[in-house]
Amino acid sequence: MKGYVLGPVKAVVPGRQGVEGASKPAGLFALFVLSSDHRVERDDIAHHLWPNGGATENRISRQLSYLRDGLGGRVSRMKSGVCSMDLSDSSIDYLLFREDVRRSRGMNAFERFSVLRGALERWSGEGPLLGLPGAGFELQRTELRREWGGALVNCMAAAWEIRDDEWLLKEAEGLLGRFSVNRTYGERIFLYRLMATAARSLQAAKQMIKEYKERYGRPRDLELDQAIRDIARGAFRHRPAPARFEHPIPRQLPFADRELVGQARRTASLRQYLAQRRAESRGAVILLTGMAGAGKSALANHLCRGLEPDFPDGTLYASLNGFTGEGTSPAEPRQILSRFLSDLGVQTQATDLDALSGALRSRLATRSVVMLLDDAAHAGQVLPLLPGTGTSVVVITSRNQLPDLSARKDVHICRIGPLDRESAAEIVFGEMAPGARRKCGPSVDRLVDLCGRLPLALSVIARRVRGRPPQGVAELVTRLSQEHQRLEELHQPGHDLSVRLALDCSVGALSTEARSLLWQLALHPGPSIDWAATMDLGSVAAGGDTDRALDELIDANLVECTVDRYRLHDLVRAYARYHVFSDADRSIERLREETVRQVLEHQLQNVAACDRVIDPQRSLPIEEPRGLRVVDPASEEEAMAYVDAEYEVLLQGIDLALRSSLRRYVWLLSMALVSYQWRRSRHADAERRLTEAEEASRGLASSIHRAMVYRMLAGTQMRAGHVDLGLRNAEAAVRLGEEQGDVASRLGLARSLHLRAVAYQRGGDLNGAEEGHRLALELFEELGDAAGAAGALNGIGTVQYERGAYDKALRMCDEALRIFELTDDANGRANVLTTLAKIHTFRSERDEALRLYERAIAIYRKLSYWPNEAKTLSRYAYVLVSSGRTQEAVTALERVVMLCEFMGDEEGVQQALDRLESLR
């Protein structure tokens, strides 16, 4: 509520223009806080808001509604026509002003000056209750001016007593413009200005008297009249030196309103660092940086409170107002320096920044204090306040990383992120009844995830679950699960606990380019994005430097950089999607569409570039990239590594294409991923995406490419053990291939026939399998596809192997291997080597079988083809055991366990472990 009573009314309810005008809710609020018990009767409301009549019950109810919405207090109507509002005195600046004035009584001049100056700073320079019409408010304004004027005169008297003539002259000159000398307190202001001038130059004071008399005549104030006569006679008496006193030790840390949770390890680490610096007789500067709501201020306050006993010269605190929203400017370091010097008992005539900074460094060179500088917007606010030498400790908090400060070697940087799950849950449970933990555990776990383990969001939720039954907590989970309203659920009007308002301040400080890029990054499917994709994304918006905008977002802790990828916190993503731009801005819709297409085109071009390396036999109808950053993997390992890093993002991209009805990307992205998915045993993902691709390709893809979709789907289903489904889709691919007679269609038909033959073979139909492989072989040879022909020969060889005709199988597979070695198809070569190894095993030719297995395993490992490598290693281990080479078999099976764990194959892991157990 700070600033709402004495400051301009427009700061109360920004942009609200109700029927009765924007100032009316603020006026009602003023009535509440200016009465001793925060209660106002109906007649008072009518008199102050409608001095000329017109008060009705509907109008009064509407004002209460404005007040409730705008200020967030609990407002109620009582039966007697009296209104009340729940407010704490510590949240109202007028009451804080009164308390400061009361405390100043009985203090020495130095303390009185410091306290009263702070009280006066709470006062808006535009006057109290600005813009509120009516006689009632005019009376209130008069009373407020009287109180403020009394405090001002007392402050000037204290300044005169401690000889702060510089402050007197500066303040009096500005105040005389607001308080005419023939008005209340005006003559007292002129008196202190006159005496301060006389202390420096009697001649200048006499000139002031001359101008005063010409304008106003003889003053009414007796003390001013006497001073004028003394100066005119040259008998002005200088004030005596102020009595010496022991300057109070400042202890300025704000009250900690809640217990710090989940930061014990970080606090201990920081204290250890500070203890080491103190042991070396050196000071320290700590920067706590992190996104809005991460708990930086709470941690800093807790840390500094723990340090207080070790710093005998006190603790200094200043809120730098870096991110407090509209209506409040960041604090000027000159003002903070002046206050700190005064609080430390330093009287100086300096006014410029460098001189004040030097004076503070000089003072702190022989003092040991803790200084907390909270909420810095930029390094320029902080650098002038830092000590030079000595053992003082400075703790700075900022939502920005303050590169100009953090680049210094003497600054210890601590980045504050989300809490661990246990600590995050403890914040929510802390506001619930003891028995609620068991009943609400799953709901709280979900709330923790939806809040992104952000302390500010968790604090809002903790308040909201207070007193709720388990059903109410579950309902809150349901509401937060809707991303478009999540920020509204984490916003409490009129309170500091609001994630949306906190992010408003952070995003509001960004440049236009950075704000646009943040919005685009939120449209990206996530969960993370690499540098190249970010640059391509930013190129959609007109103008701007994407690289600089990205740096700005990282410095503002709105984007997290981990190694070579960028990530948004879930709440930042939700904010950026729904609150950065207004829904009323229709131009955003076109930018949204262009951004989504750019995201998907970047993904398609890059995964296609990898797919061409992983599976050179396939050709997808994808145009050449234009103006995009596309990877150029030099090997299959590099291609697989790229897709490993991007895989989750690519799946999210397909979902984005589905939501956006962009069928081309659903089809082609799914197809470009299949070869990778087979090598990583991600068959469930592949089957789901290819099913979506089959539907998306209807009416969009040619028969050749639709047949390819069916083949990939069939191959996936057979790898997953769904032979019947695989056979059905393989037959669909064959039918499509038979409809066309061109070369490309016939080549596709040959591959479909080969795949259908594999399905027959796995279903136990060896005759159908052999016939299908021979038909495919004839077509491959006719079309000159050597790799296809070798694959068909290997298929025939496997059929003969299963029939027990090992000599025939060996001849067919030897010929297949000869042909494969003339091609670039390493995977086909490894498949034939595996078949040959099995044949030699059954012929009891173990040494040859082991040699062939080793060659196949090396190829699969180089291709990063995990399922085939694991399967081949298992067979290899079997032959090793039968050859008496048990330790080598153990090593092979340990590799199988690791690969199965990578693939999430729990059954495979257990089988390999069981075999290992039998060998040890």
Side-chain angles (χ1 to χ4, degrees):
M1 301 298 179
K2 196 169 186 179
Y4 287 160
V5 180
L6 302 180
V9 169
K10 61 184 178 182
V12 181
V13 191
R16 178 181 292 282
Q17 289 292 338
V19 176
E20 314 304 334
S23 65
K24 301 305 171 60
L28 185 55
F29 176 62
L31 292 177
F32 277 116
V33 299
L34 292 177
S35 53
S36 59
D37 59 357
H38 302 169
R39 291 158 60 93
V40 176
E41 294 189 4
R42 182 186 183 284
D43 290 344
D44 291 329
I45 298 173
H47 175 69
H48 284 279
L49 298 185
W50 298 280
N52 298 321
T56 66
E57 288 298 328
N58 286 338
R59 285 188 168 188
I60 292 175
S61 296
R62 189 155 50 245
Q63 294 305 313
L64 290 173
S65 176
Y66 289 161
L67 183 60
R68 183 182 298 110
D69 293 343
L71 302 175
R74 293 190 306 177
V75 184
S76 60
R77 293 287 311 278
M78 297 185 179
K79 293 181 180 180
S80 60
V82 174
C83 306
S84 68
M85 181 175 183
D86 275 353
L87 294 167
S88 64
D89 289 355
S90 63
S91 69
I92 303 167
D93 53 2
Y94 170 68
L95 299 178
L96 292 172
F97 166 81
R98 269 190 170 179
E99 175 60 19
D100 286 343
V101 172
R102 186 195 64 77
R103 285 194 306 113
S104 71
R105 299 176 189 134
M107 291 181 172
N108 61 55
F110 288 97
E111 294 173 325
R112 189 165 67 253
F113 174 68
S114 178
V115 170
L116 288 174
R117 191 178 63 176
L120 293 169
E121 287 175 356
R122 299 184 188 279
W123 193 276
S124 166
E126 299 183 62
L129 306 179
L130 183 69
L132 300 180
F137 283 124
E138 186 56 41
L139 289 174
Q140 296 287 359
R141 272 191 286 272
T142 301
E143 178 62 22
L144 285 170
R145 288 195 188 100
R146 185 191 64 76
E147 289 193 45
W148 186 83
L152 173 65
V153 169
N154 288 336
C155 186
M156 299 186 85
W160 169 252
E161 187 176 342
I162 65 174
R163 302 193 176 198
D164 195 343
D165 296 337
E166 188 72 30
W167 184 87
L168 276 173
L169 289 171
K170 179 181 177 182
E171 290 298 312
E173 183 176 0
L175 288 167
L176 283 174
R178 289 175 56 192
F179 290 83
S180 177
V181 292
N182 63 350
R183 299 284 300 276
T184 306
Y185 303 112
E187 290 186 347
R188 302 297 292 178
I189 294 170
F190 181 78
L191 167 64
Y192 288 112
R193 183 188 180 196
L194 178 64
M195 291 193 298
T197 302
R200 295 186 171 192
S201 168
L202 280 175
Q203 188 62 36
K206 289 178 179 179
Q207 180 61 33
M208 285 178 60
I209 292 170
K210 179 180 178 182
E211 294 173 358
Y212 173 82
K213 286 185 174 180
E214 289 176 354
R215 186 173 181 181
Y216 299 107
R218 184 173 179 176
R220 292 174 292 179
D221 185 277
L222 297 179
E223 190 173 351
L224 174 59
D225 185 56
Q226 183 63 48
I228 288 174
R229 284 189 276 113
D230 289 344
I231 292 170
R233 297 197 318 269
F236 176 72
R237 292 181 298 173
H238 292 281
R239 77 221 116 164
R244 293 189 60 186
F245 77 103
E246 193 70 26
H247 197 277
I249 295 174
R251 298 291 183 192
Q252 300 176 351
L253 293 178
F255 174 72
D257 58 353
R258 57 182 180 270
E259 182 182 356
L260 189 68
V261 177
Q263 300 289 3
R265 182 176 299 179
R266 182 174 279 117
T267 303
S269 174
L270 290 172
R271 286 186 177 178
Q272 183 179 2
Y273 167 75
L274 292 172
Q276 180 181 348
R277 299 285 292 188
R278 282 182 67 80
E280 299 169 355
S281 298
R282 300 164 70 187
V285 178
I286 295 175
L287 171 61
L288 303 181
T289 181
M291 68 173 288
K296 303 176 293 296
S297 297
L299 173 60
N301 195 9
H302 178 80
L303 175 66
C304 292
R305 283 193 177 280
L307 298 174
E308 272 188 319
D310 299 325
F311 289 83
D313 296 315
T315 50
L316 299 171
Y317 170 82
S319 175
L320 301 182
N321 299 328
F323 299 91
T324 53
E326 296 182 5
T328 305
S329 301
E332 292 291 336
R334 183 183 290 105
Q335 298 172 346
I336 305 298
L337 282 166
S338 297
R339 180 165 68 80
F340 279 0
L341 287 169
S342 176
D343 295 338
L344 292 170
V346 177
Q347 301 301 317
T348 176
Q349 301 297 320
T351 57
D352 67 279
L353 183 62
D354 290 341
L356 290 169
S357 182
L360 182 65
R361 289 196 298 272
S362 298
R363 185 63 165 178
L364 294 182
T366 57
R367 296 289 188 276
S368 187
V369 304
V370 176
M371 184 188 301
L372 173 52
L373 304 175
D374 193 24
D375 193 26
H378 52 80
Q381 285 185 292
V382 172
L383 292 172
L385 304 173
L386 299 183
T389 57
T391 59
S392 294
V393 168
V394 181
V395 179
I396 303 159
T397 73
S398 179
R399 299 183 189 183
N400 287 342
Q401 295 186 17
L402 306 183
D404 291 343
L405 175 70
S406 56
R408 293 176 38 151
K409 293 182 179 180
D410 60 337
V411 176
H412 182 78
I413 303 169
C414 184
R415 290 186 171 84
I416 312 300
L419 298 174
D420 61 86
R421 294 185 60 83
E422 183 179 353
S423 299
E426 200 58 41
I427 291 178
V428 182
F429 279 127
E431 297 293 336
M432 302 176 74
R437 187 179 295 266
R438 178 178 57 83
K439 296 180 180 179
C440 300
S443 293
V444 170
D445 289 342
R446 183 63 180 141
L447 287 173
V448 164
D449 290 337
L450 292 169
C451 291
R453 294 179 281 118
L454 189 71
L456 176 57
L458 293 164
S459 297
V460 176
I461 289 300
R463 288 195 174 199
R464 297 198 62 186
V465 301
R466 187 186 301 164
R468 281 177 179 253
Q471 299 92 328
V473 179
E475 173 63 23
L476 194 56
V477 171
T478 301
R479 291 206 295 269
L480 258 71
S481 298
Q482 306 299 316
E483 188 188 50
H484 67 278
Q485 65 181 43
R486 189 171 304 161
L487 272 297
E488 294 306 318
E489 296 295 333
L490 296 174
H491 168 70
Q492 286 190 301
H495 293 275
D496 292 336
L497 295 177
S498 172
V499 176
R500 179 167 62 77
L501 292 182
L503 291 173
D504 276 344
C505 296
S506 293
V507 174
L510 297 174
S511 66
T512 302
E513 291 81 8
R515 196 156 48 246
S516 295
L517 181 60
L518 178 66
W519 177 76
Q520 290 180 296
L521 288 171
L523 292 183
H524 184 271
S528 63
I529 183 172
D530 66 7
W531 180 85
T534 304
M535 295 301 105
D536 284 346
L537 190 65
S539 68
V540 173
D545 187 329
T546 303
D547 210 4
R548 288 182 182 274
L550 180 60
D551 287 342
E552 187 178 347
L553 292 174
I554 293 171
D555 288 341
N557 285 304
L558 291 167
V559 170
E560 178 187 5
C561 179
T562 55
V563 189
D564 58 349
R565 301 191 70 80
Y566 305 97
R567 183 180 297 271
L568 297 183
H569 187 277
D570 287 346
L571 295 181
V572 173
R573 183 183 299 277
Y575 176 90
R577 282 180 178 173
Y578 302 105
H579 298 282
V580 165
F581 292 122
S582 169
D583 290 338
D585 189 347
R586 305 317 304 170
S587 63
I588 293 303
E589 289 305 316
R590 181 174 180 182
L591 180 58
R592 187 191 308 274
E593 181 180 343
E594 292 174 353
T595 298
V596 169
R597 287 185 179 275
Q598 185 83 331
V599 167
L600 297 174
E601 188 64 26
H602 175 92
Q603 289 188 333
L604 179 60
Q605 291 292 346
N606 279 276
V607 74
C610 294
D611 184 59
R612 284 190 287 270
V613 176
I614 295 170
D615 187 359
Q617 306 301 317
R618 289 198 304 147
S619 178
L620 296 172
I622 300 173
E623 301 88 351
E624 288 295 315
R626 290 177 293 181
L628 294 174
R629 293 167 171 82
V630 180
V631 296
D632 183 18
S635 64
E636 290 174 90
E637 298 98 314
E638 283 188 22
M640 292 294 290
Y642 177 86
V643 186
D644 278 336
E646 294 289 329
Y647 184 67
E648 293 300 326
V649 182
L650 291 166
L651 294 184
Q652 293 287 337
I654 297 172
D655 288 335
L656 176 62
L658 280 166
R659 292 194 303 272
S660 305
S661 299
L662 297 173
R663 294 190 300 144
R664 174 176 177 270
Y665 294 104
V666 176
W667 159 41
L668 291 175
L669 272 173
S670 299
M671 287 292 290
L673 275 176
V674 178
S675 297
Y676 165 85
Q677 290 168 324
W678 287 356
R679 295 192 184 190
R680 287 292 183 262
S681 192
R682 298 181 181 273
H683 301 127
D685 285 348
E687 184 172 8
R688 174 190 167 192
R689 299 305 178 177
L690 287 169
T691 301
E692 295 165 348
E694 188 277 323
E695 183 177 350
S697 65
R698 295 175 190 173
L700 191 63
S702 66
S703 297
I704 296 173
H705 294 118
R706 290 210 67 212
M708 188 189 300
V709 175
Y710 282 118
R711 283 199 302 275
M712 297 300 102
L713 184 53
T716 299
Q717 290 166 335
M718 285 191 286
R719 282 170 170 80
H722 306 144
V723 177
D724 291 343
L725 291 174
L727 178 58
R728 187 185 308 163
N729 284 301
E731 289 175 339
V734 170
R735 286 195 298 272
L736 282 171
E738 291 172 339
E739 294 175 359
Q740 305 293 327
D742 57 278
V743 172
S745 297
R746 294 178 70 207
L747 183 58
L749 175 59
R751 290 169 180 166
S752 299
L753 288 168
H754 175 59
L755 181 66
R756 187 176 67 176
V758 172
Y760 283 149
Q761 186 173 346
R762 293 193 182 183
D765 183 358
L766 296 183
N767 292 331
E770 183 173 4
E771 181 184 359
H773 286 312
R774 292 190 183 280
L775 288 173
L777 176 61
E778 291 176 7
L779 270 176
F780 281 130
E781 288 178 337
E782 178 186 336
L783 296 168
D785 186 331
L793 283 169
N794 183 51
I796 297 170
T798 60
V799 171
Q800 299 300 332
Y801 163 76
E802 292 190 18
R803 286 173 172 163
Y806 301 129
D807 291 342
K808 289 183 179 180
L810 194 59
R811 286 194 301 271
M812 300 299 290
C813 291
D814 278 339
E815 177 63 14
L817 181 60
R818 184 190 67 77
I819 297 173
F820 266 128
E821 287 178 339
L822 299 176
T823 72
D824 295 329
D825 191 348
N827 181 58
R829 187 162 62 250
N831 290 340
V832 176
L833 288 168
T834 301
T835 307
L836 284 168
K838 289 192 293 183
I839 296 170
H840 284 287
T841 299
F842 275 87
R843 288 162 60 99
S844 298
E845 297 165 350
R846 295 190 184 93
D847 290 344
E848 180 64 12
L850 290 173
R851 185 183 67 81
L852 292 166
Y853 274 135
E854 287 166 0
R855 287 180 63 191
I857 289 166
I859 293 173
Y860 287 138
R861 187 169 300 177
K862 185 176 181 180
L863 296 177
S864 197
Y865 207 141
W866 292 347
N868 284 7
E869 182 188 352
K871 188 187 302 180
T872 308
L873 278 167
S874 294
R875 291 169 177 160
Y876 176 61
Y878 175 84
V879 181
L880 286 171
V881 172
S882 65
S883 301
R885 296 160 62 176
T886 305
Q887 188 54 49
E888 292 175 71
V890 168
T891 302
L893 290 171
E894 287 175 341
R895 169 78 177 172
V896 173
V897 171
M898 183 187 71
L899 289 171
C900 289
E901 287 177 341
F902 286 164
M903 295 184 291
D905 181 3
E906 295 181 4
E907 183 179 354
V909 170
Q910 190 58 52
Q911 289 175 352
L913 289 175
D914 290 343
R915 289 183 64 187
L916 281 169
E917 185 65 27
S918 68
L919 295 176
R920 288 171 175 167

